[in-house]
Amino acid sequence: MKNTELKVKDELQEESLFNGSLGRRSFLQFAGASAAGLALVAAGCKKDRGYTDTTMGATLDFKDDFGVLNYAYALEQLEAAFYIKVASAPPASFSAAEKAYFQDIQFHEIAHREFFKNALSTAAIGSLEVDFSSINFTDRTSVLGAAKAFEDLGVAAYNGAGIRIKTDAYLVLAGKIVSVEARHAAYIRELISVGSFSDLNDLTGLGANVAGGLDASLTPDKVLAAAGKFIKTKINVINL
């Protein structure tokens, strides 16, 4: 197990994946392709990690960092599925620029999802079944409202999970990803209401501290409860 964890750490520190010299679209394509090469040799870990079972659902075991990484993987699956659906058939009222940016966000979320999937390898939970029946994908207001909910919740989830991460490399990775999620949240907010991109007032329910200038932060149980309406797969949480 120790060798596996060391290898995960090495992979997460791979600079080429997050090389700032890459162009935006080149980065997105590169990240998606390179993540496929980050598979870990995690043999022997299957007994004490969480896995998706067709009858029991997915289990997130928070006894160590792998549980937190699987938690992030679950949320990235949800976001990627949402943006793939929007990007494939955006509301007719979206401008050309908005369609392009939603394509970009889609690629970010796919890169995040695939990174966690391949980095966790056999320690990863399976694919989650989503439920977007409450979202009208032909309606701009419905799509933007859902996007705002996903992004704000995603930021709160990463912020709230950071304290549970014990490995420095994982914490650095989470910090890189949450900063991208925060950019998404700011952009979506600006589309809904100009000038609202930095407003924390409506995030107090997600744990934001307006006076302290601190962003939203929620524990995994609260995040999963909020995300539950969009996930069909039963998610079991242990050792939280």
Side-chain angles (χ1 to χ4, degrees):
M1 180 62 66
K2 190 167 189 112
N3 289 338
T4 295
E5 292 177 350
L6 288 173
K7 180 151 190 180
V8 176
K9 184 173 180 179
D10 290 342
E11 297 291 8
L12 294 182
Q13 289 180 313
E14 180 63 50
E15 288 300 322
S16 61
L17 183 60
F18 294 103
N19 190 330
S21 66
L22 290 172
R24 182 178 67 178
R25 292 189 180 279
S26 295
F27 160 77
L28 296 175
Q29 294 170 355
F30 177 80
S34 295
L38 298 181
L40 307 175
V41 182
C45 295
K46 196 163 188 178
K47 303 181 195 156
D48 49 17
R49 303 297 176 198
Y51 291 86
T52 293
D53 181 277
T54 55
T55 56
M56 299 301 291
T59 297
L60 299 178
D61 186 349
F62 283 90
K63 70 181 181 181
D64 55 23
D65 285 351
F66 280 84
V68 182
L69 296 182
N70 263 314
Y71 169 56
Y73 174 44
L75 296 175
E76 294 297 351
Q77 285 190 55
L78 180 62
E79 288 193 285
F82 169 74
Y83 283 107
I84 287 171
K85 193 166 178 63
V86 176
S88 66
S93 58
F94 267 24
S95 68
E98 289 167 350
K99 291 177 182 178
Y101 275 109
F102 266 76
Q103 288 278 355
D104 280 356
I105 295 175
Q106 168 197 215
F107 295 140
H108 287 159
E109 303 300 358
I110 290 174
H112 295 166
R113 180 197 68 194
E114 292 305 297
F115 185 88
F116 282 116
K117 178 181 179 181
N118 289 285
L120 284 162
S121 187
T122 59
I125 59 171
S127 298
L128 302 181
E129 186 178 2
V130 298
D131 179 4
F132 295 141
S133 59
S134 62
I135 304 170
N136 181 354
F137 285 90
T138 66
D139 180 72
R140 175 189 177 84
T141 300
S142 180
V143 168
L144 292 182
K148 178 177 178 293
F150 286 137
E151 296 300 346
D152 287 345
L153 190 63
V155 171
Y158 274 100
N159 287 341
I163 194 172
R164 299 172 181 275
I165 300 176
K166 299 179 178 63
T167 305
D168 290 346
Y170 302 165
L171 190 59
V172 170
L173 174 68
K176 290 181 177 182
I177 292 179
V178 73
S179 67
V180 175
E181 300 292 353
R183 290 171 186 264
H184 296 169
Y187 173 68
I188 298 299
R189 284 170 162 275
E190 197 67 3
L191 288 182
I192 294 173
S193 178
V194 176
S196 68
F197 68 94
S198 63
D199 185 12
L200 294 176
N201 287 289
D202 68 340
L203 290 173
T204 54
L206 297 180
N209 183 326
V210 178
L214 301 177
D215 209 340
S217 177
L218 289 178
T219 53
D221 55 324
K222 293 180 179 178
V223 170
L224 293 170
K229 65 180 289 188
F230 302 107
I231 303 174
K232 289 183 180 180
T233 305
K234 179 182 178 182
I235 297 181
N236 307 296
V237 176
I238 58 176
N239 293 314
L240 188 57

